[in-house]
Amino acid sequence: SRLAKLTTVNLVLNTCSEKYLKEVSGQSSILVPNFIDEGFLIQEKKDINKEIKKAVFVGHVKSSKGVKEIIETAKHFSNIDFILAGPVSREIELMETPENVIFKGPVNQSVVKELLLTADIFVFPTYSEGFSNALLEAMANGVPIITTRVGANQDMIESFGGILVRTRNTDDIVQAILDLEDIGYRKRISKWNINKVNNHYTINKVMSKLIQIYNMTCDDEAKDA
């Protein structure tokens, strides 16, 4: 609170942080999201498969990212491969998992890109978040999202980029997958996600906003000098 009151401008990643900062310090803030390189944004519309065959997760494969719920969900959909890319925690390694849960381990960006291009849905039931680059990359590739209402997740997908579920709730994830079986629904989501990233989250868009804020701050400081 004291630091916020000393600054000329406070920057936050999501509306949750914006609200919290206002509550604890009385200070306003400006929301500046994370960004993605234009090269990661899909250039053409994504091919949407008739059926959901591949669900992808990218991030640290641990309980706090909702991975236990993903594993439980996989038991309900033997026809879907649940592919989890990222470092696997010891706790998750020791779990018994169904055959359709596939651990890829740590992967580079080219592998992430390939996984997202072929993914039918992106499942990200994290318990807490700031502004997820993994979620941003999935949106940039037109993948329909299932995620929780934490951090910037709701800011990012709103009511159009996928389905928001409760944390620690497997039933919600199962129902979300059933809802996304509608191919027309997934096509609309895919198009919306690509447009949202292109209009708001590219490096040029975000850096332009950030530079404007810096220039405004410098001008205000010069006037006060």
Side-chain angles (χ1 to χ4, degrees):
S1 177
R2 280 163 36 186
L3 284 172
K5 291 174 182 178
L6 288 172
T7 61
T8 304
V9 177
N10 294 294
L11 305 180
V12 294
L13 282 173
N14 54 63
T15 54
C16 295
S17 298
E18 185 177 34
K19 181 180 179 181
Y20 175 75
L21 187 65
K22 186 70 174 179
E23 289 175 351
V24 300
S25 70
Q27 300 298 300
S28 299
S29 55
I30 300 174
L31 197 158
V32 180
N34 284 346
F35 53 80
I36 194 167
D37 189 285
E38 279 86 349
F40 211 89
L41 185 65
I42 195 170
Q43 298 302 310
E44 300 178 2
K45 69 178 182 179
K46 179 179 174 64
D47 290 331
I48 303 298
N49 295 321
K50 185 177 180 180
E51 298 179 353
I52 297 174
K53 293 293 186 181
K54 183 184 294 185
V56 171
F57 166 93
V58 177
H60 283 86
V61 182
K62 57 184 181 180
S63 296
S64 62
K65 292 295 184 181
V67 170
K68 286 184 177 180
E69 286 75 19
I70 294 176
I71 291 170
E72 287 302 310
T73 299
K75 296 175 182 178
H76 295 263
F77 298 98
S78 59
N79 59 317
I80 299 176
D81 286 335
F82 289 78
I83 301 172
L84 284 66
V88 183
S89 71
R90 181 63 174 165
E91 179 186 16
I92 300 299
E93 282 182 341
L94 295 174
M95 288 184 65
E96 290 188 15
T97 57
E99 292 183 358
N100 59 328
V101 173
I102 302 164
F103 298 105
K104 300 291 286 187
V107 296
N108 59 34
Q109 281 296 93
S110 63
V111 175
V112 171
K113 178 74 172 177
E114 182 180 346
L115 286 173
L116 294 175
L117 283 173
T118 57
D120 296 304
I121 56 175
F122 187 77
V123 185
F124 195 69
T126 178
Y127 297 172
S128 64
E129 204 65 43
F131 192 106
S132 170
N133 285 331
L135 192 59
L136 181 55
E137 290 171 351
M139 291 177 66
N141 281 275
V143 187
I145 307 295
I146 297 173
T147 192
T148 45
R149 294 179 178 88
V150 299
N153 295 358
Q154 189 165 0
D155 298 339
M156 295 168 75
I157 73 168
E158 301 178 41
S159 300
F160 309 102
I163 298 176
L164 294 162
V165 298
R166 291 170 290 181
T167 57
R168 299 177 171 85
N169 195 303
T170 301
D171 290 341
D172 276 12
I173 303 171
V174 170
Q175 185 58 53
I177 293 175
L178 293 174
D179 291 342
L180 288 171
E181 288 179 347
D182 182 341
I183 185 174
Y185 186 25
R186 281 185 283 125
K187 284 182 177 180
R188 293 192 298 273
I189 290 173
S190 178
K191 182 179 178 180
W192 189 90
N193 278 343
I194 294 168
N195 288 337
K196 178 70 181 286
V197 174
N198 192 46
N199 291 331
H200 296 280
Y201 299 138
T202 63
I203 186 170
N204 287 336
K205 293 279 195 325
V206 176
M207 290 307 297
S208 177
K209 181 176 182 178
L210 196 56
I211 290 168
Q212 286 179 347
I213 294 169
Y214 285 156
N215 288 336
M216 176 188 69
T217 305
C218 291
D219 290 341
D220 289 344
E221 292 291 338
K223 290 176 184 177
D224 293 337

